[in-house]
DNA sequence: AAAAATACGGAACAATCGTTCCTGAATTAA
DNA sequence: TTAATTCAGGAACGATTGTTCCGTATTTTT
């Protein structure tokens, strides 16, 4: 009956993530999207609705991708403290390697849109809660195994870890390229785990 | 020779800070500025140049205001650890009280503009360096006085403090209203000082 | 082969963007 | 008083915004 799409929807979403991540919501124009996604205006609007909906779908996809990665690493980990350390090391590498410093798409979107767009606010809130749960369970696992100090409540540590993660991603967004600054923060953070 | 200005330039800048802080640079239109500052278009452009210049001036004024406050508190402090604690408590109060959650103007601007506007990038970088110095000296002072542990290098702790400050301001921007979340972070942070 | 459905490219939309300019009134210093 | 300067207000600028629509091409199912 119908013609098939010539582009892959998920690949297009990945392109949308790239440009929204780099330029933000208000900084990305419809023309930017057409150019970067390689689609026509009509295909773009037929497929994704409008700019706001495309942004929300992009952010959801990004969230799922990054959450899944962290969850998998922590689930499979036999030393949670080491794995958490690896996660931070990876974030630092990404911050230093990216020639265009994009920071974290979720953090960027929180700051730019959370208070102006209810749908984005929900995604951000859901992300925070999920990450808090993931980190809390991981810390508990580490405390049981004896890799992480039991001196502080697991949820407190989880919130603390998440807060430092946000901070580091802001730092990356500012264009900080001195590895020592990142390393100092991680060093201090892990001194209390 | 000339008619005197009927408005106070600094007061107008304060109004500009308010709206840029709330809506961001791209989210604030020229009409928003005219309405909120209570000036005519012509007066606004004659006085401040253009939107970008007005934004930069606003951010500089905000930076000076908040830096001066922190520096004064820490300079006059006899117990730096307590004063740092007060500074965080104050940030939490502001985060919870603000009906419209604005976060931190400097953090917001970093995320939105630092990588796209060189002038803003310079302001942000200068702010980070200054705050790092201020915190470093404060921590040294606290270590000498015996209020802060000497186990960790002062600069490392300073960067760590600043990172958690950024994180908390992002949290505020996401609209988090649970005081316990903020308190947990501060509790964990001060457990290593 | 015919018919149905959709992708495509691009023209075109009204609205808003930041900015400039013009008007006439108001105020000041010479 | 005169000349200079700045005020407020609004019209108007071209450019860009997000979005819609249309004609054509293409593919799939009947």
């Amino acid at each position: 009956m119908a013609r098939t799409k010539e582009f892959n929807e998920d690949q297009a979403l990945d392109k949308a993530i790239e440009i929204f991540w780099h330029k933000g919501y208000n900084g990305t124009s419809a023309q930017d999207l057409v150019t970067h996604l390689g689609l026509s205006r009509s295909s773009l609007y037929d497929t994704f609705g409008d700019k706001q909906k495309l942004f929300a779908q992009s952010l959801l996809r990004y969230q799922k991708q990054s959450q899944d990665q962290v969850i998998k690493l922590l689930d499979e980990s036999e030393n949670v403290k080491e794995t958490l350390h690896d996660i931070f090391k990876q974030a630092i590498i990404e911050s230093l390697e990216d020639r265009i410093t994009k920071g974290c798409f979720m953090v960027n979107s929180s700051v730019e849109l959370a208070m102006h767009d209810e749908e984005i606010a929900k995604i951000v809130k859901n992300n925070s809660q999920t990450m808090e749960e993931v980190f809390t369970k991981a810390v508990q696992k580490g405390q049981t195994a004896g890799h992480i100090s039991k001196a502080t409540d697991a949820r407190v540590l989880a919130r603390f870890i998440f807060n430092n993660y946000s901070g580091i991603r802001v730092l990356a967004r500012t264009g900080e390229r001195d590895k020592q600054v990142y390393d100092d923060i991680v060093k201090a953070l892990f001194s209390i785990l």
Side-chain angles (χ1 to χ4, degrees), chain A residues 15-178:
Chain A
K15 296 267 192 186
I17 289 174
E18 274 183 16
I19 191 161
F20 277 136
W21 190 352
H22 176 48
K23 296 188 154 197
Y25 178 79
N26 285 311
T28 304
S29 69
Q31 185 55 47
D32 287 336
L33 291 167
V34 168
T35 304
H36 198 77
L37 270 65
L39 302 184
S40 66
R41 277 176 142 64
S42 44
S43 300
L44 204 156
Y45 275 84
D46 283 350
T47 309
F48 299 107
D50 57 20
K51 185 182 166 185
Q52 196 277 345
K53 282 176 189 156
L54 174 55
F55 186 90
Q57 288 176 66
S58 303
L59 187 58
L60 277 173
R61 182 171 166 82
Y62 172 85
Q63 178 195 26
K64 179 161 171 41
Q65 286 174 348
S66 30
Q67 270 182 10
D68 285 355
Q69 194 188 347
V70 171
I71 290 171
K72 183 162 181 264
L73 284 171
L74 289 172
D75 265 355
E76 294 172 355
S77 166
E78 293 183 2
N79 186 331
V80 169
K81 187 170 180 179
E82 272 183 15
T83 305
L84 284 171
H85 208 178
D86 289 341
I87 290 171
F88 272 87
K89 274 194 277 187
Q90 186 56 35
I92 292 174
I93 289 172
E94 282 172 20
S95 300
L96 292 172
E97 273 187 354
D98 252 0
R99 289 181 58 264
I100 41 171
T101 43
K102 304 195 294 288
C104 168
F105 188 26
M106 187 63 64
V107 170
N108 299 353
S109 305
S110 308
V111 172
E112 186 185 5
L113 296 177
M115 62 179 307
H116 300 294
D117 185 314
E118 256 193 65
E119 188 176 2
I120 305 300
K122 277 183 191 169
I123 296 174
V124 168
K125 175 135 273 179
N126 175 277
N127 183 69
S128 304
Q129 286 173 347
T130 303
M131 292 307 292
E132 183 177 314
E133 291 308 316
V134 169
F135 282 148
T136 301
K137 280 178 188 164
V139 170
Q140 284 169 341
K141 186 173 159 186
Q143 286 176 328
T144 303
H147 296 123
I148 296 180
S149 160
K150 291 180 184 169
T152 311
D153 180 65
R155 186 165 300 272
V156 172
L157 288 180
R159 287 170 174 168
F160 192 49
I161 293 168
F162 187 61
N163 194 60
N164 277 279
Y165 188 80
S166 297
I168 279 184
R169 289 319 196 107
V170 171
L171 197 57
R173 183 76 171 171
T174 66
E176 179 61 63
R177 305 211 94 84
D178 182 354

